[in-house]
Amino acid sequence: AAGVIQSPRHLIKEKRETATLKCYPIPRHDTVYWYQQGPGQDPQFLISFYEKMQSDKGSIPDRFSAQQFSDYHSELNMSSLELGDSALYFCASSWEYNEQFFGPGTRLTVL
Amino acid sequence: GEDVEQSLFLSVREGDSSVINCTYTDSSSTYLYWYKQEPGAGLQLLTYIFSNMDMKQDQRLTVLLNKKDKHLSLRIADTQTGDSAIYFCAERRGGSARQLTFGSGTQLTVLP
């Protein structure tokens, strides 16, 4: 069965640079979620989109923005990167209020 | 997550049962989930339970929900070394919000 696809899987950036993470949800899923997992921590919700509209917002810094496109893929844009942004970034998708399936994550390292 | 609590570590012998516990605070939570995370990997959905259920069984996995005490547990029967991982419970709260709030995760170590 098709799963959530994230790219890139690994990303290394310098401080103050920008990064773009991409997420391709499971076909026919209408909701995309972004989570951030710091080292040794639990995933923290950042933002979600339902039918291409922002639906909920969590602890997402103002330096980050996201959108969902007409083909339902989503991108998380991160600017002015800080050392503390180093983390695993997960995308998940669901069909309406049903269970969320997570992608393999993008490991971002900020040097 | 600060509102969902789990014990950090659990060690069991191969073949024994494992019980991972979780407490949550939001009584309006509608769905409660268990995810498994192996080192460097993503989150794998194991099972979930709707808040109007007390128990759900899925092969080696049994989920028990005590809504009065806001307590959730995951029992893994016949635990194998391949079950070694971090297990997260997560709640989806009531209302229109769909995001999950995760517990801190329980590191399960299965000893041979």
Side-chain angles (χ1 to χ4, degrees):
Chain A
V4 176
I5 297 171
Q6 291 188 246
S7 68
R9 294 293 310 278
H10 302 272
L11 191 58
I12 299 175
K13 291 285 185 179
E14 301 272 346
K15 273 171 46 177
R16 292 181 287 278
E17 285 191 321
T18 61
T20 297
L21 280 54
K22 297 186 179 183
C23 169
Y24 298 85
I26 291 171
R28 289 181 292 284
H29 280 193
D30 54 17
T31 307
V32 166
Y33 313 78
W34 286 97
Y35 292 84
Q36 177 192 58
Q37 186 180 29
Q41 300 188 356
D42 56 286
Q44 295 289 316
F45 170 71
L46 294 178
I47 195 166
S48 63
F49 294 86
Y50 168 64
E51 283 291 343
K52 293 157 277 186
M53 299 282 289
Q54 182 183 307
S55 53
D56 294 299
K57 201 169 182 180
S59 50
I60 183 169
D62 292 340
R63 299 177 289 108
F64 295 5
S65 64
Q67 56 182 324
Q68 187 179 28
F69 295 85
S70 58
D71 64 352
Y72 290 90
H73 96 272
S74 177
E75 294 183 4
L76 177 66
N77 298 293
M78 310 158 72
S79 62
S80 302
L81 286 169
E82 302 173 358
L83 296 178
D85 295 329
S86 294
L88 257 176
Y89 289 84
F90 288 110
C91 172
S93 73
S94 72
W95 179 71
E96 297 204 344
Y97 285 90
N98 293 292
E99 56 271 26
Q100 295 179 26
F101 293 91
F102 282 71
T106 294
R107 184 172 295 280
L108 172 67
T109 302
V110 182
L111 302 175
Chain B
E2 56 193 38
D3 297 330
V4 184
E5 294 184 355
Q6 299 178 240
S7 52
L8 292 181
F9 303 99
L10 176 65
S11 291
V12 299
R13 292 277 174 197
E14 194 173 14
D16 289 348
S17 292
S18 308
V19 179
I20 303 171
N21 295 302
C22 170
T23 57
Y24 61 99
T25 57
D26 192 335
S27 58
S28 68
S29 292
T30 54
Y31 282 93
L32 295 135
Y33 301 84
W34 284 102
Y35 285 87
K36 175 184 179 183
Q37 186 175 36
E38 296 182 70
L43 293 157
Q44 176 193 353
L45 176 64
L46 290 177
T47 188
Y48 64 93
I49 189 167
F50 188 50
S51 57
N52 68 354
M53 298 169 67
D54 297 324
M55 186 183 86
K56 180 178 180 182
Q57 189 154 1
D58 185 359
Q59 299 182 336
R60 292 191 298 125
L61 305 178
T62 303
V63 180
L64 294 178
L65 175 61
N66 181 328
K67 202 173 178 183
K68 173 177 166 287
D69 295 337
K70 300 190 190 69
H71 182 263
L72 179 74
S73 68
L74 173 70
R75 178 176 179 269
I76 306 173
D78 188 25
T79 314
Q80 302 297 307
T81 54
D83 295 324
S84 293
I86 299 176
Y87 290 80
F88 290 97
C89 65
E91 61 173 347
R92 180 163 77 73
R93 294 174 178 174
S96 61
R98 304 176 182 211
Q99 68 267 27
L100 301 179
T101 299
F102 285 83
S104 51
T106 298
Q107 171 75 60
L108 174 65
T109 302
V110 182
L111 305 171

